[in-house]
Amino acid sequence: MPTNGLHQVLKIQFGLVNDANRYLTAESFGFKVNASASSLKRKQTWVLEPDPGQGTAVLFRSSHLGRYLSAEEDGRVACEMDRPGRDCRFLVLPQPDGRWVLQSEPHGRFFGGTEDQLSCFATAISPAELWTVHLAIHPQAHLLSVSRRRYVHLCLQEDEMAADGDMPWGVDALLTLIFQSRRYCLKSYDSRYLRSDGHLVWEPEARACYTLEFKAGKLAFKDCDGRYLAPVGPAGTLKAGRNTRPGKDELFDLEQSHPQVVLVAANHRYVSVRQGVNVSANQDEELDHETFLMQIDQETKKCTFYSSTGGYWTLVTHGGLQATATQVSANTMFEMEWHGRRVALKASNGRYVCMKKNGQLAAISDFVGGDELFILKLINRPILVLRGLDGFVCHRRGSNQLDTNRSTYDVFHLSFRDGAYQIRGAGTQAAGRQWGAGDARAPADLQPCPQAAELASGTLAATGACAATVTWRRISSSSSESVAALPSAPSVANTCAAALPGCCALTQTCLQGKLFGNTEDSQGPTPQPHH
C-alpha cells in the first residue's frame, strides 16, 4: 500500500566526483574503493548520515553495499564496516568553488587521490582532495523550511519565492535543482532561477548558484558570498540572510513530489470536492479543490487520490465516493485503465467509477462507456527531467538524438491538449523542437496508445505521442536511419515506467513513482535527478 505519510523527506543520495572527473566507487570485491568510474550508477551512490554522537562529523554509507567508508591512521581507506566506528567519522569542509574536502576527524588527514590510489593521508589540500557533490535523487521536489514548517513556492504577485505554504499544493510548489558549474540552482516552474537577493532571473548567473551543505540530515544553500538562503520577514521571502553559518532558519528538507492531477468528466467539468465531502464533477475551473495528489502502489499498480481538504477518495455505501478517509485501505485504492486518451477507474468493489446525472461520482458501472471516461491531466510537471534505466536523458551535442545513459540531464517542457502530451526539447539544436501528436514527422493516422513505449539502453529518438506517453524507437549510436512511427506494442508496455519515470503521469505504467519518487530502491543505475 502507499504510505499514509504524504510528506516523505528524501534521503539525500549523491556521488562524489574528483578533480579528474571520476566518481568515488565502492566495490563489492574486497570492499575496496576507487575513483575510476566515469558515470554515476549504483556503486557510485552514497548516503550522508549524521554522527550518532551528535557531533559535527558525518558518515558516508555506500548505497550499494550498505557499509561505511572508513579511514585508518595509516591512510588506508575501505568501505567494509557494517556498523560505524571511530574511523568512519569525517568532517566536510565546503570550499569557495562549491567542492568538498573530506577530513578524517580522528586522524586529521584529508581524503583524496586518483583511480585506485585513494588514501586519507594528505596533510594539505590539493586538487586531488577536492570532491564535487552530484545529487542522485530526483531533482524535482518540494522544499520545506525546517524552522517555519512551511513550504517554499513561487509567488507570482510578489515575483518571489516564499516559505509560507501549509501544503505543497499546485505547480507553484515545484522546485527543480539544476546542476550548474559545480553548484546548484533553484529553478521555479516558470523556468526562472532564484538569486540570493530574492529576485528571480532567467539565467543561472553567479548569484543564483549555491553550494550545498548538510547539517543533521538537512540541507543548506550557501551563496557565492558565503551567506545562506533563509525565509525572511513575515512573508517568508526566500533570500540570503546575514548568517555565515547555517542555523535552524537556514535548514531545509527536500520532500518527494508526487504527481498532482485534475480530472475532467464527460460533462466537461472538473472533478472537485469544493462543495463538501462528495466527489463530484461540477466545477468550471481548476483550483486547489480540483487538484488531487496521486500515489501509486508499486506492487498492485493501483492508485489513491488525496484532496487538498485532507482526505483520500474512498468507497462508501451504495458505491458513492467521498474524500473523507484518513488512512490508505482497500476502499481508497483504484485501478486505472487507459482507453485511448481517456482513463477509467475501477474501485475495490470491482465496478467502474461513473458520473451520475447530478455530477456526483459513484462506482456503480459494470462496463466502460462515456460517463465512465475521464481526462487525466498532470499539472505539476510543466518542466521535467527524464531518466531511463541507464541514466538521464540528455540531448547529444551536435545531433538531434537523445542519450539515455548520461549522468547529467536536460530539462524538458511538457504541454497538454485533450488527453495527449507534447515534449519540447532543450539544448541548442533541440530548442523549440516538439515530439508529440502534432509532430510533423509523425504519421497523420498515428493513434494514441498508452502502450507504445520502447527504450533502448543507449540512444533513443522520439517518433510520436499518445494519450499516455511518448512513442520511442530504438536507434543505435551510429544509426542514420530516419525516424518512423513505432506501432503499438503491448509487449513493451512495462518498459515505460522504467524508460520515462518522472513526467510520467502520462500513463498508468509511467506513474509508478519512478519519475516522481526517490530512486534509492531502484534496481537500475542511480545517476542524478530524473524524469
Side-chain angles (χ1 to χ4, degrees), residues 227-503:
R227 300 179 302 158
Y228 293 84
L229 284 183
V232 177
T237 302
L238 202 61
K239 62 173 67 175
R242 299 178 180 178
N243 291 343
T244 56
R245 291 186 178 181
K248 189 174 182 180
D249 287 341
E250 288 75 32
L251 297 180
F252 298 88
D253 273 328
L254 277 179
E255 286 193 0
Q256 181 171 340
S257 174
H258 294 284
Q260 294 180 18
V261 300
V262 297
L263 294 99
V264 182
N267 61 358
H268 306 293
R269 307 191 83 182
Y270 291 99
V271 174
S272 176
V273 292
R274 182 178 301 275
Q275 295 180 339
V277 297
N278 289 325
V279 183
S280 303
N282 58 9
Q283 296 299 315
D284 296 320
E285 56 183 353
E286 53 178 86
L287 299 174
D288 284 354
H289 286 92
E290 293 71 48
T291 300
F292 301 97
L293 187 147
M294 189 168 152
Q295 285 182 292
I296 306 294
D297 178 33
Q298 296 299 308
E299 294 182 1
T300 66
K301 310 306 179 187
K302 294 181 179 180
C303 59
T304 62
F305 295 94
Y306 187 80
S307 73
S308 60
T309 56
Y312 292 95
W313 290 13
T314 186
L315 187 67
V316 295
T317 308
H318 306 304
L321 293 185
Q322 293 184 347
T324 56
T326 58
Q327 300 288 322
V328 173
S329 66
N331 283 342
T332 66
M333 306 294 290
F334 297 85
E335 183 179 343
M336 189 183 299
E337 295 180 3
W338 282 90
H339 297 262
R341 297 189 178 197
R342 302 297 185 264
V343 65
L345 300 174
K346 183 183 287 186
S348 58
N349 63 358
R351 294 188 168 186
Y352 291 97
V353 174
C354 76
M355 180 196 66
K356 299 165 70 174
K357 290 184 178 180
N358 63 0
Q360 289 189 7
L361 302 192
I364 56 176
S365 294
D366 294 318
F367 305 99
V368 176
D371 289 340
E372 288 75 33
L373 293 177
F374 300 86
I375 295 175
L376 180 72
K377 177 184 175 184
L378 171 68
I379 60 102
N380 66 333
R381 282 299 187 279
I383 60 176
L384 54 93
V385 177
L386 304 170
R387 190 182 69 181
L389 285 174
D390 299 290
F392 291 99
V393 176
C394 188
H395 182 257
R396 179 180 294 183
R397 186 173 300 176
S399 169
N400 289 331
Q401 292 181 331
L402 300 174
D403 289 335
T404 65
N405 57 357
R406 301 282 289 276
S407 58
T408 57
Y409 51 89
D410 278 335
V411 176
F412 297 88
H413 295 264
L414 188 70
S415 58
F416 172 87
R417 182 179 179 182
D418 189 30
Y421 294 81
Q422 290 182 319
I423 298 177
R424 187 171 70 254
T428 306
Q429 302 251 348
R433 183 179 298 279
Q434 293 189 359
W435 293 276
D439 197 321
R441 298 175 301 174
D445 60 347
L446 182 63
Q447 297 298 315
C449 175
Q451 296 155 330
E454 186 172 10
L455 178 70
S457 59
T459 302
L460 56 79
T463 64
C466 65
T469 185
V470 176
T471 305
W472 304 97
R473 180 171 186 178
R474 294 178 188 232
I475 293 184
S476 66
S477 303
S478 59
S479 174
S480 59
E481 184 177 5
S482 60
V483 177
L486 178 72
S488 168
S491 61
V492 299
N494 291 333
T495 67
C496 186
L500 301 175
C503 92

Side-chain angles (χ1 to χ4, degrees), residues 31 130 142-143 159 174 190 209 406 412 425 446 453 508 521:
F31 303 113
L130 296 174
H142 301 308
L143 194 63
D159 204 33
L174 178 69
D190 65 355
C209 297
R406 301 282 289 276
F412 297 88
L446 182 63
Q508 80 277 24
D521 298 325

Side-chain angles (χ1 to χ4, degrees), residues 113-307:
T114 58
E115 300 290 338
D116 57 355
Q117 303 297 317
L118 298 181
S119 68
C120 190
F121 203 66
T123 57
I125 300 173
S126 70
E129 283 72 48
L130 296 174
W131 299 90
T132 297
V133 180
H134 211 166
L135 288 180
I137 59 176
H138 195 299
Q140 297 185 296
H142 301 308
L143 194 63
L144 175 68
S145 168
V146 171
S147 61
R148 301 202 179 196
R149 306 307 300 174
R150 294 292 184 272
Y151 291 92
V152 173
H153 68 100
L154 176 64
C155 304
L156 285 175
Q157 298 85 350
E158 290 78 20
D159 204 33
E160 65 184 19
M161 288 187 185
D164 63 355
D166 293 328
M167 292 278 288
W169 220 256
V171 67
D172 57 356
L174 178 69
L175 290 176
T176 303
L177 292 172
I178 303 296
F179 193 61
Q180 178 81 21
S181 302
R182 299 185 183 274
R183 293 184 175 90
Y184 280 89
C185 305
L186 294 177
K187 190 172 187 176
S188 63
Y189 80 89
D190 65 355
S191 298
R192 289 188 290 172
Y193 300 88
L194 177 66
R195 202 166 62 186
S196 59
D197 61 0
H199 290 92
L200 296 166
V201 295
W202 292 105
E203 296 295 332
E205 56 189 68
R207 295 184 64 192
C209 297
Y210 306 91
T211 301
L212 292 185
E213 292 191 11
F214 298 91
K215 183 177 180 181
K218 311 298 182 183
L219 270 177
F221 299 87
K222 185 170 72 173
D223 73 359
C224 57
D225 297 322
R227 300 179 302 158
Y228 293 84
L229 284 183
V232 177
T237 302
L238 202 61
K239 62 173 67 175
R242 299 178 180 178
N243 291 343
T244 56
R245 291 186 178 181
K248 189 174 182 180
D249 287 341
E250 288 75 32
L251 297 180
F252 298 88
D253 273 328
L254 277 179
E255 286 193 0
Q256 181 171 340
S257 174
H258 294 284
Q260 294 180 18
V261 300
V262 297
L263 294 99
V264 182
N267 61 358
H268 306 293
R269 307 191 83 182
Y270 291 99
V271 174
S272 176
V273 292
R274 182 178 301 275
Q275 295 180 339
V277 297
N278 289 325
V279 183
S280 303
N282 58 9
Q283 296 299 315
D284 296 320
E285 56 183 353
E286 53 178 86
L287 299 174
D288 284 354
H289 286 92
E290 293 71 48
T291 300
F292 301 97
L293 187 147
M294 189 168 152
Q295 285 182 292
I296 306 294
D297 178 33
Q298 296 299 308
E299 294 182 1
T300 66
K301 310 306 179 187
K302 294 181 179 180
C303 59
T304 62
F305 295 94
Y306 187 80
S307 73

